[in-house]
């Protein structure tokens, strides 16, 4: 399939429903060079996920039974929000580890919510059972073409805004966002995948030569804690020789604090992971290499203003 065409069509489709998020260039965070940052944490429901949710719901008919989604929290909030705006019922399944902030965000949309024990994979199993029993349409968090194309609109939009970087660093959970980025950029710029040491499904898959199960834990697990990387992301990552780096929880937390203290940007751990790769030296640009960071999420637990 032509990802460029699919993402371009998705951008047109979802334009009336999503925010065009701002971009800034800054030299800070103890780095000796400037970086471009796209502030996608300012998107509806605090993450890029609204893009894929709206694209899926606008791409075809929705059954009378409505929508079901499994999520670590952010995807569920985005699906619930998109369903509410488009007049569909939604049932969201999240694990306990989603945390009170993301659970409250979903509840505010009016969607039906079921919290299950365990991690994202357990919520996915419960959602699959509900789908089979109810006839509801499931919106996958990351491994579906409409989801990936929707997330890719973030990079298409950034290109329109004048992205100058040679290299873009993107945090990875299940792979929807970076898959969309790889599909849109198609090798025109280098893409670096950033994952926590304790939740590294893509890194493990690239090392093994195929998607495989990993254990997930750590400060960003409720957003980046996919047990297995999506096949779409894996295929695109191998096709475009995506580089993969790992960061510690301590590096993620340091980047999260730096974004707040130096730029008053409030992001969740997952949202700070890409910057953590630069601050910690997990990724060191070559001399003259221009770099960009995608800030992808703002749903901090607990909610600082709750």
């Amino acid at each position: 399939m032509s990802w460029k065409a699919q993402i371009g069509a998705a951008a047109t489709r979802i334009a009336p429903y999503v925010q065009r998020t701002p971009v800034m260039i800054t030299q800070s965070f103890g780095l000796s060079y400037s970086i471009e940052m796209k502030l996608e944490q300012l998107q509806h429901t605090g993450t890029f996920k609204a893009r894929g949710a709206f694209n899926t719901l606008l791409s075809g008919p929705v059954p009378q039974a409505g929508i079901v989604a499994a999520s670590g929290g952010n995807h569920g909030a985005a699906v619930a929000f998109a369903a509410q705006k488009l007049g569909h019922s939604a049932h969201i399944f999240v694990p306990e580890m989603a945390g009170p902030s993301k659970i409250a965000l979903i509840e505010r949309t009016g969607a039906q919510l079921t919290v299950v024990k365990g991690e994202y994979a357990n919520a996915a199993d419960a959602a699959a059972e509900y789908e089979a029993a109810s006839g509801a349409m499931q919106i996958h968090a990351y491994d579906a073409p409409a989801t990936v194309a929707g997330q890719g609109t973030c990079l298409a939009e950034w290109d329109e805004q004048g992205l100058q970087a040679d290299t873009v660093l993107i945090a990875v959970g299940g792979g929807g966002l970076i898959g969309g980025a790889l599909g849109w950029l198609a090798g025109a710029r280098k893409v670096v995948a950033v994952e926590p040491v304790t939740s590294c499904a893509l890194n493990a898959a690239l090392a093994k030569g195929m998607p495989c199960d990993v254990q997930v834990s750590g400060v960003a697990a409720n957003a980046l804690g996919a047990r297995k990387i999506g096949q779409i992301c894996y295929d695109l990552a191998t096709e475009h020789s995506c580089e993969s780096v790992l960061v510690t929880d301590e590096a993620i937390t340091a980047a999260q604090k730096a974004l707040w203290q130096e730029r008053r940007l409030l992001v969740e751990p997952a949202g700070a992971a890409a910057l953590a790769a630069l601050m910690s030296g997990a990724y060191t640009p070559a001399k003259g290499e221009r770099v960009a960071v995608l800030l992808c999420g703002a749903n901090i637990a607990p909610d600082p203003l709750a």
Side-chain angles (χ1 to χ4, degrees):
M1 67 183 295
S2 170
W3 281 108
K4 198 99 171 177
Q6 291 292 323
I7 293 166
T12 299
R13 191 178 294 124
I14 69 174
Y17 300 96
V18 298
Q19 293 292 318
R20 187 175 176 89
T21 56
V23 173
M24 67 183 296
I25 298 176
T26 183
Q27 183 170 336
S28 192
F29 315 119
L31 302 174
S32 60
Y33 48 85
S34 296
I35 59 173
E36 294 180 65
M37 297 195 300
K38 184 160 177 61
L39 312 186
E40 188 64 10
Q41 84 279 10
L42 300 179
Q43 188 56 256
H44 292 305
T45 69
T47 72
F48 64 93
K49 297 278 191 177
R51 296 175 181 272
F54 274 112
N55 189 49
T56 301
L57 292 178
L58 293 166
S59 293
V62 174
Q64 187 67 32
I67 301 150
V68 60
S71 169
N74 287 332
H75 173 65
V79 169
F81 176 82
Q84 178 194 54
K85 293 298 181 184
L86 297 175
H88 304 300
S89 63
H91 192 147
I92 311 298
F93 291 81
V94 300
E96 292 173 325
M97 69 186 298
S101 177
K102 293 178 181 181
I103 288 172
L105 183 59
I106 295 168
E107 289 175 335
R108 288 198 295 272
T109 67
Q112 187 174 352
L113 175 66
T114 298
V115 181
V116 303
K117 292 183 178 179
E119 56 193 50
Y120 168 76
N122 303 105
D125 290 341
E129 292 177 6
Y130 179 85
E131 177 188 14
S134 69
M137 181 178 80
Q138 179 151 194
I139 301 182
H140 198 280
Y142 50 86
D143 202 22
T147 300
V148 173
Q151 318 309 28
T153 66
C154 184
L155 268 294
E157 181 178 288
W158 202 350
D159 257 348
E160 289 181 356
Q161 293 168 308
L163 175 62
Q164 297 296 311
D166 306 300
T167 301
V168 183
L169 289 90
I170 302 175
V172 180
L177 178 58
I178 199 167
L182 289 162
W184 175 258
L185 295 174
R189 305 178 196 271
K190 182 178 180 180
V191 177
V192 176
V194 183
E195 296 172 279
V197 171
T198 55
S199 297
C200 54
L202 177 58
N203 186 272
L206 293 174
K208 189 170 183 177
M210 61 185 293
C212 55
D213 286 343
V214 298
Q215 295 298 313
V216 299
S217 63
V219 297
N222 68 357
L224 305 182
R227 189 182 294 175
K228 180 187 286 188
I229 199 68
Q231 187 68 47
I232 294 172
C233 173
Y234 176 76
D235 291 343
L236 284 163
T238 52
E239 178 184 353
H240 296 294
S241 302
C242 181
E243 184 171 340
S244 171
V245 301
L246 302 179
V247 290
T248 64
D249 278 2
E250 291 76 16
I252 292 171
T253 300
Q256 185 185 22
K257 290 179 178 177
L259 283 162
W260 172 246
Q261 291 172 350
E262 299 185 35
R263 286 295 175 267
R264 281 300 188 256
L265 294 171
L266 203 56
V267 303
E268 63 185 282
L275 177 61
L278 296 176
M279 289 180 59
S280 68
Y283 183 80
T284 302
K287 185 176 180 180
E289 181 182 358
R290 299 169 299 178
V291 294
V293 165
L294 181 53
L295 303 184
C296 58
N299 294 319
I300 295 171
D303 186 330
L305 296 178

